[in-house]
Amino acid sequence: MSAFIIDTPPVVALPVEGSDAKFPVRRVYCIGRNYAAHAVEMGHDPDREPPFFFQKNPDNLDNSGEFPYPPQSSDVHHEIEMAVMLKSGGDNISIEKALEHVYGYALSLDMTRRDLQGEQKKMGRPWEIGKAFERSAPVGVIHPVDAVGHLEEGRVELKVNGETRQEGDLNQMIWKVPEMISYLSDYFTLAAGDVILSGTPAGVGPVNKGDVMEVSIAGLGSMIIPVT
Ligand code: MN
């Protein structure tokens, strides 16, 4: 007999390149406006203001290889991002020690119901309805640091139906991965299983059912995500 009064929810677990074992997800932090050109396209100053974060739910991460168009929106945008997976954590982590906590990296998408997010922004309300919906973060296989090292530069590209929509370079991040980890750890206790989506370059835009997204980051390969 179970010690729980209902069935325990499944652990969200992501595949790891070269391993049968999976990476269990604890929390998902996402940084906003982390590439200057994207900040400008969203109507903001590209100067380095303090970073800000929002969260998605662990079970929004989805390795199924497709993106079902979500309800209640007619303006769903793609945002290609590099995901950072932590193997350990703590409080008040220094920038110098931050990368010691990284297990690996993966391709990911911060899919966004932009119309709903826009309404929330206007009213000064939280973003969950625009950002943290079901299967809103397609994610690829995790590449361990042991295999690929730490990714500080490399081309980032998203195509829709073969046409390039977003492009940039990891070296254009306003807040680098160690800085994000350090900053977050001043406000939250980071831990093994935490995931950070590191922001998107310019060129975000809408997708429709039937479109095919192809995302790639140098060092992490590519993945194809049909919108269904
Ligand atoms: Mn994003």
Side-chain angles (χ1 to χ4, degrees), residues 139-157:
V139 60
V141 64
I142 298 168
H143 296 263
V145 169
D146 287 351
V148 299
H150 290 289
L151 302 183
E152 289 160 4
E153 60 180 6
R155 182 173 166 77
V156 178
E157 183 177 20

Side-chain angles (χ1 to χ4, degrees), residues 30-34 38 54 56 78-81 109-112 114 117 127 131 197-201 204:
C30 309
I31 190 168
R33 291 171 217 145
N34 201 29
H38 173 61
F54 58 92
K56 295 208 186 211
H78 52 72
E79 297 190 1
I80 180 175
E81 314 214 355
L109 285 157
D110 167 19
M111 298 302 293
T112 302
R114 192 73 74 201
Q117 185 202 23
W127 288 5
K131 288 288 196 179
L197 301 195
S198 56
T200 198
V204 301

Side-chain angles (χ1 to χ4, degrees), residues 56-226:
K56 295 208 186 211
N57 302 296
D59 68 350
N60 297 156
L61 296 183
D62 178 21
N63 182 248
S64 71
E66 65 177 291
F67 173 68
Y69 199 94
Q72 304 294 339
S73 176
S74 56
D75 191 28
V76 176
H77 280 204
H78 52 72
E79 297 190 1
I80 180 175
E81 314 214 355
M82 182 174 75
V84 182
M85 279 70 183
L86 301 189
K87 63 182 177 186
S88 54
D91 300 300
N92 305 311
I93 297 167
S94 68
I95 291 171
E96 293 71 30
K97 299 245 178 209
L99 288 182
E100 295 174 10
H101 299 284
V102 176
Y103 173 73
Y105 300 93
L107 294 165
S108 66
L109 285 157
D110 167 19
M111 298 302 293
T112 302
R113 294 194 280 212
R114 192 73 74 201
D115 42 3
L116 302 188
Q117 185 202 23
E119 291 169 15
Q120 301 307 308
K121 280 184 182 176
K122 252 185 255 164
M123 294 187 285
R125 289 180 179 168
W127 288 5
E128 276 82 358
I129 253 182
K131 288 288 196 179
F133 55 92
E134 308 314 319
R135 300 173 74 176
S136 58
V139 60
V141 64
I142 298 168
H143 296 263
V145 169
D146 287 351
V148 299
H150 290 289
L151 302 183
E152 289 160 4
E153 60 180 6
R155 182 173 166 77
V156 178
E157 183 177 20
L158 178 141
K159 296 179 184 177
V160 177
N161 304 331
E163 182 185 313
T164 298
R165 295 273 188 88
Q166 288 190 263
E167 54 187 331
D169 193 290
L170 294 174
N171 66 16
Q172 297 166 337
M173 286 184 192
I174 296 170
W175 295 90
K176 310 298 184 192
V177 172
E179 293 173 319
M180 283 187 263
I181 292 170
S182 178
Y183 186 93
L184 278 167
S185 76
D186 289 342
Y187 291 85
F188 303 101
T189 301
L190 296 179
D194 288 351
V195 174
I196 301 169
L197 301 195
S198 56
T200 198
V204 301
V207 292
N208 297 297
K209 271 188 195 186
D211 285 345
V212 176
M213 299 183 285
E214 180 179 355
V215 302
S216 60
I217 295 177
L220 300 177
S222 64
M223 67 175 179
I224 305 253
I225 306 287

Side-chain angles (χ1 to χ4, degrees), residues 23-45:
F23 180 91
V25 179
R26 175 177 176 266
R27 293 184 185 169
V28 183
Y29 297 99
C30 309
I31 190 168
R33 291 171 217 145
N34 201 29
Y35 288 74
H38 173 61
V40 170
E41 77 178 348
M42 298 303 287
H44 297 278
D45 191 325

